[in-house]
């Protein structure tokens, strides 16, 4: 009886999907059809042997024969992207989901440095929403503390309030503003790194789709890049840059380098610009908070096959030379004419966590606007001592 009922549902659904599938089948953004989101049994994704999925596949094959079909997302053979699955069988991570949370100042980078998926079709990093959104959504008496014992925070983001993880990275938050600043930084940093690491593995990894773009209602914390009121969070800009056709990136083992020796980072160039070749120069600079240069260098690049990732060089610095608690790695990629074609910047801690970001003084930035007929040009200048 159960099998017959499932079959009847599949037939009815097939008629509906034939009508729905017919309309968008030639849409330029349509790349893949799938039977549903995270359909699984015993932590294993379902396949086309399921009667419902078999019926849907038949409709797609008839209505859109040129499109790729996957029975579910993720389609497996294992469901999740994790160090445990990678260690168990790295060849089984074809189309995977997860994780959706920042894994920590070391584990986040261990996971994505060992990534082996062919298609990373859903993943994310959590962060608090923008401060103005919180002020519009939560009464002042309920905004702090940020924890799941606070019923308002439990209601508006329980899954994404990762108190233990946040404490391990930043210590305790003294204010709501600190909580927003800290968690939005790790969301920016963590998701940017995940996308960059996936792209460094091209063409082995052929696609990455972060979750999620926006909020369906005013969330206090979640994985969104844009809040309910359509204001971008910092992660929006980090991921937008990570998807640039030509992108320069750094891979590293951790964010906090206390007790480690030496600081080390590999520099990469990733391109899917479809140029016949890529030629230019990569400049890198390791700096203290006051702008003092710890180490710097230049590397000429010339790749005949530009549509792939190339490791350019390795940056090293003895930790004893780093006096400030925070330091930067800045990357600039220029073409043969000296014009900029790629840029990136990374923040690291010389201690064991990122608590010192709360001590950062604000940079003194001035902006000048130059107007020439219909063209406006903005010039930003930092006359202060903070980089």
């Amino acid at each position: 009886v159960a099998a017959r009922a499932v079959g009847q549902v599949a037939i009815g659904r097939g008629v509906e999907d034939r009508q729905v599938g017919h309309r968008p089948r030639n849409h330029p953004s349509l790349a893949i059809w799938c039977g549903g989101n995270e359909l699984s049994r015993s932590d294993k994704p379902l396949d086309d042997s399921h009667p419902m999925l078999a019926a849907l596949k038949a409709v797609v094959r008839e209505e859109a024969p040129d499109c790729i079909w996957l029975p579910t997302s993720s389609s497996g053979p294992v469901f999740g992207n994790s160090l445990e699955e990678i260690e168990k069988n790295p060849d089984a991570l074809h189309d995977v989901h997860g994780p959706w949370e920042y894994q920590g100042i070391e584990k986040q980078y261990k996971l994505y440095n060992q990534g082996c998926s062919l298609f990373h079709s859903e993943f994310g990093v959590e962060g608090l929403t923008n401060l103005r959104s919180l002020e519009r959504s939560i009464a002042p008496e309920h905004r702090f503390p940020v924890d799941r014992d606070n019923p308002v925070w439990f209601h508006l983001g329980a899954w994404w309030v990762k108190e233990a993880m946040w404490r391990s990275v930043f210590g305790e938050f003294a204010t709501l503003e600190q909580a927003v600043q800290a968690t939005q930084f790790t969301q920016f940093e963590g998701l940017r790194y995940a996308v960059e690491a996936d792209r460094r593995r091209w063409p082995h990894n052929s696609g990455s789709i972060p979750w999620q773009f926006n909020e369906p209602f005013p969330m206090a914390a979640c994985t969104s890049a844009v809040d309910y009121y359509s204001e971008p969070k910092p992660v929006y800009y980090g991921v937008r840059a990570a998807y640039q056709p030509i992108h320069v990136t750094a891979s590293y083992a951790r964010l906090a380098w206390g007790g480690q020796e030496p600081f080390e980072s590999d520099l990469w160039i990733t391109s899917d610009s479809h140029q016949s070749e890529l030629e230019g120069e990569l400049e890198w600079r390791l700096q203290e908070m006051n702008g003092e240069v710890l180490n710097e260098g230049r590397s000429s690049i010339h790749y005949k096959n530009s549509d792939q990732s190339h490791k350019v060089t390795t940056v090293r610095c003895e930790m004893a030379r780093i006096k400030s608690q925070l330091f930067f790695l800045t990357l600039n990629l220029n073409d043969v004419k000296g014009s900029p074609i790629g840029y990136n910047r990374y923040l690291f801690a010389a201690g064991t966590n990122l608590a010192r970001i709360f001590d950062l003084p604000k940079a003194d930035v001035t902006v000048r606007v130059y107007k020439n007929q219909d063209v406006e040009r903005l010039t930003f200048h930092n006359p202060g001592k903070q980089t």
Side-chain angles (χ1 to χ4, degrees):
V1 174
R4 186 182 301 116
V6 170
Q8 291 171 347
V9 171
I11 293 171
R13 185 63 185 272
V15 172
E16 176 185 343
D17 282 314
R18 189 181 308 279
Q19 297 171 348
V20 173
H22 184 80
R23 292 195 297 270
R25 62 179 178 173
N26 294 322
H27 195 286
S29 296
L30 180 59
I32 298 173
W33 287 87
C34 78
N37 183 59
E38 298 183 352
L39 306 177
S40 62
R41 181 185 295 116
S42 301
D43 295 326
K44 297 292 183 183
L46 298 180
D47 57 30
D48 293 334
S49 64
H50 190 282
M52 175 74 80
L53 298 177
L56 297 178
K57 179 180 179 180
V59 172
V60 170
R61 285 287 178 263
E62 183 177 341
E63 295 291 337
D66 295 334
C67 283
I68 298 171
W69 162 263
L70 294 177
T72 181
S73 180
S74 63
S75 58
V78 300
F79 172 85
N81 177 47
S82 67
L83 287 170
E84 292 74 20
E85 294 290 0
I86 292 171
E87 293 167 1
K88 188 187 306 180
N89 184 6
D91 293 331
L93 279 76
H94 296 180
D95 169 22
V96 295
H97 280 189
W100 296 265
E101 306 88 7
Y102 187 70
Q103 302 296 293
I105 55 179
E106 183 172 349
K107 188 177 178 182
Q108 178 79 5
Y109 309 95
K110 183 177 181 181
L111 171 62
Y112 284 100
N113 290 341
Q114 295 184 19
C116 53
S117 61
L118 303 181
F119 183 31
H120 201 180
S121 55
E122 186 181 318
F123 60 102
V125 175
E126 86 290 350
L128 268 59
T129 194
N130 292 316
L131 185 60
R132 284 196 295 183
S133 180
L134 290 173
E135 291 172 345
R136 295 173 70 176
S137 306
I138 303 176
E141 64 271 22
H142 298 305
R143 293 174 190 163
F144 201 76
V146 181
D147 59 44
R148 278 174 286 186
D149 292 331
N150 182 333
V152 174
W153 279 93
F154 187 90
H155 175 64
L156 294 178
W159 193 349
W160 310 112
V161 178
K162 305 295 180 180
E163 303 156 70
M165 174 60 69
W166 297 344
R167 280 195 295 269
S168 72
V169 179
F170 300 102
E172 298 289 344
F173 299 139
T175 64
L176 177 62
E177 289 76 8
Q178 283 189 355
V180 172
Q181 177 188 8
T183 63
Q184 287 196 348
F185 171 76
T186 48
Q187 185 185 28
F188 166 92
E189 156 68 23
L191 192 57
R192 170 185 67 167
Y193 195 89
V195 173
E196 291 178 347
D198 279 351
R199 290 195 66 197
R200 282 193 289 268
R201 296 189 294 109
W202 167 263
H204 184 86
N205 182 82
S206 59
S208 302
I209 307 176
W211 176 266
Q212 72 208 79
F213 179 72
N214 60 347
E215 298 172 6
F217 62 91
M219 296 285 290
C222 68
T223 61
S224 71
V226 176
D227 70 20
Y228 178 75
Y229 300 100
S230 301
E231 293 190 13
K233 296 159 66 176
V235 67
Y236 172 88
Y237 300 101
V239 173
R240 183 178 71 174
Y243 278 114
Q244 290 296 309
I246 299 176
H247 195 47
V248 56
T249 68
S251 65
Y252 38 89
R254 56 186 56 81
L255 271 193
W257 286 83
Q260 306 295 322
E261 192 68 48
F263 168 82
E264 186 172 284
S265 175
D266 294 331
L267 307 187
W268 292 74
I269 294 174
T270 299
S271 173
D272 56 8
S273 61
H274 306 299
Q275 297 180 9
S276 58
E277 59 182 320
L278 181 62
E279 187 175 4
E281 184 177 66
L282 172 62
E283 302 175 351
W284 58 268
R285 184 175 294 109
L286 200 65
Q287 291 177 275
E288 299 264 23
M289 283 299 302
N290 62 3
E292 181 181 343
V293 177
L294 296 161
N295 206 351
E296 60 184 338
R298 298 169 180 257
S299 297
S300 297
I301 61 163
H302 189 191
Y303 304 120
K304 292 291 187 180
N305 183 6
S306 64
D307 283 352
Q308 57 182 275
S309 290
H310 300 271
K311 179 183 171 182
V312 180
T313 189
T314 300
V315 175
R316 294 184 179 89
C317 183
E318 299 301 320
M319 291 301 299
R321 295 186 55 205
I322 303 175
K323 305 305 180 184
S324 60
Q325 287 297 309
L326 301 169
F327 58 100
F328 293 102
L329 175 62
T330 305
L331 313 178
N332 288 286
L333 180 63
N334 302 313
D335 64 17
V336 291
K337 297 180 180 180
S339 299
I341 55 175
Y343 169 83
N344 217 332
R345 200 179 205 203
Y346 300 89
L347 173 68
F348 301 98
T352 57
N353 63 25
L354 301 180
R356 295 302 293 270
I357 70 168
F358 301 131
D359 299 332
L360 287 175
K362 292 184 178 181
D364 184 11
V365 178
T366 60
V367 183
R368 291 183 178 179
V369 181
Y370 300 90
K371 294 184 178 181
N372 183 10
Q373 296 180 351
D374 296 333
V375 178
E376 289 189 3
R377 182 164 59 92
L378 302 181
T379 300
F380 295 85
H381 177 62
N382 179 6
K385 297 182 179 181
Q386 301 302 322
T387 59

